């Protein structure tokens, strides 16, 4: 198995007030990069509203695999964002906390939530989920990802893992409603976890190809970009790690083709 140890440092920071500013104030801050010191000695953060420099990306490639990795937030920033998300995010319960696999329904081994633009829905694993309205913290993280990558996102799937027992099985994010030209941006906060890619040709019972899996450790405050054609050829998973005792929150930002859905509905009405 190819293993990548990723190290680096975020090169921007911000203050606690940023997330609570009105939308107009946030727009102004994005144009004028300012630095100030927090008066509260317990929360001394440097405020930079705009990413003045690009993060140091690390490229990881294999046959059909194209991903980029960087540390987007410093430890202090990531700690603060994690705490804010713990207060703001409302996770699914009941039927929305279940998943269908080969016709059988199972409880999801983690907590999930979906946020995004108004009226957006996303269907995966046999369940359709509606987007809740963006929270201030989610908007801030989304905008940070957009400024760093140059891509816009209208939806985020949030997974919360209470410890290393919570996990995610092998799958591909290849739903038809996702924009194929937009990468999936995965932000990790909390406990570092192993993330494993496995080529689709090695998953069959009788496979005649030898392609090594790719294992990465996704750190606190990191950003992983899964570019095309990664989700066509590679499955990914977050396996059980019993030694991990701390929680982790993962946010996968996506772009859903809302216009395509409308066109499809209109086309059916015309038939």
């Amino acid at each position: 198995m190819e293993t990548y140890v990723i190290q680096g440092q975020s090169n921007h920071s911000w203050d606690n007030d940023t997330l609570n500013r009105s939308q107009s104030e946030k727009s102004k801050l994005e144009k004028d990069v300012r630095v100030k010191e927090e008066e509260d000695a317990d929360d001394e953060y440097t405020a930079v509203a705009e990413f003045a420099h690009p993060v140091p990306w690390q490229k990881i490639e294999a046959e059909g695999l194209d991903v980029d990795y960087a540390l987007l937030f410093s430890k202090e920033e990531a700690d603060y964002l994690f705490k804010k998300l713990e207060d703001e995010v409302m996770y699914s319960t009941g039927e929305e906390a279940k998943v269908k696999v080969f016709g059988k329904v199972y409880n999801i081994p983690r907590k999930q939530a979906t946020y995004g633009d108004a009226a957006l829905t996303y269907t995966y694993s046999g369940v359709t989920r509606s987007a809740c309205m963006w929270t201030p913290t989610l908007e801030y993280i989304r905008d940070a990802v957009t400024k760093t990558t140059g891509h816009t996102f209208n939806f985020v799937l949030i997974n919360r893992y209470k410890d290393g027992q919570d996990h995610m099985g092998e799958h591909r994010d290849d739903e038809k409603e996702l924009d194929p030209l937009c990468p999936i941006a995965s932000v990790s906060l909390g406990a570092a976890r192993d993330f494993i890619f496995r080529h689709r040709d090695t998953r069959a019972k009788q496979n005649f190809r030898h392609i090594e899996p790719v294992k990465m450790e996704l750190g606190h405050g990191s950003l992983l970009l899964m570019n095309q054609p990664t989700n066509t050829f590679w499955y990914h998973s977050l396996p059980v790690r019993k030694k991990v005792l701390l929680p982790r929150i993962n946010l996968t930002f996506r772009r859903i083709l809302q216009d395509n859905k409308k066109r499809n509905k209109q086309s059916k009405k015309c038939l």
Side-chain angles (χ1 to χ4, degrees):
M1 180 180 295
E2 295 185 41
T3 302
Y4 293 84
V5 179
I6 312 293
Q7 296 180 337
Q9 174 136 11
S10 165
N11 53 9
H12 74 282
S13 55
W14 49 286
D15 68 321
N16 301 350
D17 295 332
T18 303
L19 296 177
N20 299 319
R21 295 182 184 276
S22 66
Q23 201 63 36
S24 60
E25 289 175 321
K26 285 171 64 179
S27 298
K28 184 177 185 300
L29 283 174
E30 288 176 354
K31 295 179 181 178
D32 303 318
V33 177
R34 302 189 307 177
V35 177
K36 71 175 183 178
E37 295 182 356
E38 271 295 331
E39 295 179 357
D40 187 350
D42 294 331
D43 293 309
E44 291 186 352
Y45 295 118
T46 304
V48 177
E50 184 172 295
F51 293 89
H53 304 285
V55 296
W57 289 104
Q58 299 188 44
K59 172 70 74 175
I60 299 171
E61 296 178 295
E63 181 183 326
L65 177 75
D66 183 348
V67 299
D68 296 290
Y69 180 91
L71 283 180
L72 181 60
F73 301 110
S74 68
K75 182 183 183 303
E76 291 76 14
E77 295 170 306
D79 286 345
Y80 184 76
L81 289 170
F82 185 94
K83 291 177 182 178
K84 294 294 289 184
L85 291 176
E86 290 284 73
D87 293 335
E88 294 178 5
V89 175
M90 300 293 293
Y91 292 96
S92 301
T93 58
E95 291 302 312
E96 285 195 346
K98 300 179 184 295
V99 65
K100 184 181 293 185
V101 181
F102 298 117
K104 294 184 178 181
V105 178
Y106 301 90
N107 290 324
I108 298 173
R110 58 194 175 276
K111 288 184 177 181
Q112 283 192 327
T114 50
Y115 286 78
D117 292 354
L120 278 183
T121 61
Y122 182 46
T123 302
Y124 63 99
S125 300
V127 179
T128 298
R129 305 181 190 276
S130 299
C132 299
M133 291 182 61
W134 296 101
T135 71
T137 306
L138 290 174
E139 284 187 328
Y140 184 86
I141 299 173
R142 178 202 62 196
D143 293 346
V145 173
T146 292
K147 280 191 171 292
T148 303
T149 65
H151 292 278
T152 57
F153 304 89
N154 58 12
F155 188 89
V156 63
L157 173 64
I158 305 172
N159 285 287
R160 186 187 188 279
Y161 304 83
K162 69 179 185 301
D163 54 32
Q165 296 284 2
D166 280 3
H167 60 281
M168 180 180 289
E170 288 188 338
H171 69 286
R172 291 180 293 177
D173 296 326
D174 59 351
E175 288 78 16
K176 294 181 180 179
E177 59 208 282
L178 296 177
D179 186 344
L181 301 179
C182 182
I184 292 178
S186 174
V187 174
S188 296
L189 300 168
R193 292 288 296 267
D194 287 341
F195 191 74
I196 299 177
F197 288 101
R198 190 182 303 276
H199 196 280
R200 67 182 185 184
D201 290 350
T202 66
R203 300 178 76 250
K205 292 182 179 179
Q206 295 181 343
N207 67 80
F208 302 97
R209 304 191 64 198
H210 179 73
I211 302 176
E212 287 288 335
V214 175
K215 182 174 75 171
M216 304 174 60
E217 183 181 77
L218 303 184
H220 186 37
S222 67
L223 170 61
L224 175 72
L225 275 185
M226 289 187 279
N227 307 302
Q228 286 296 331
T230 300
N231 272 297
T232 299
F233 297 102
W234 291 78
Y235 285 73
H236 56 270
S237 65
L238 192 89
V240 170
R241 291 293 183 261
K242 295 181 180 180
K243 293 183 179 180
V244 176
L245 305 179
L246 298 176
R248 171 182 183 261
I249 296 176
N250 178 251
L251 307 94
T252 48
F253 291 90
R254 305 147 191 259
R255 187 190 299 157
I256 293 178
L257 293 171
Q258 190 176 21
D259 291 342
N260 278 2
K261 286 186 175 183
K262 292 180 180 178
R263 283 198 293 269
N264 289 339
K265 290 181 180 179
Q266 292 173 349
S267 297
K268 290 179 181 179
K269 290 180 180 179
C270 294
L271 294 176

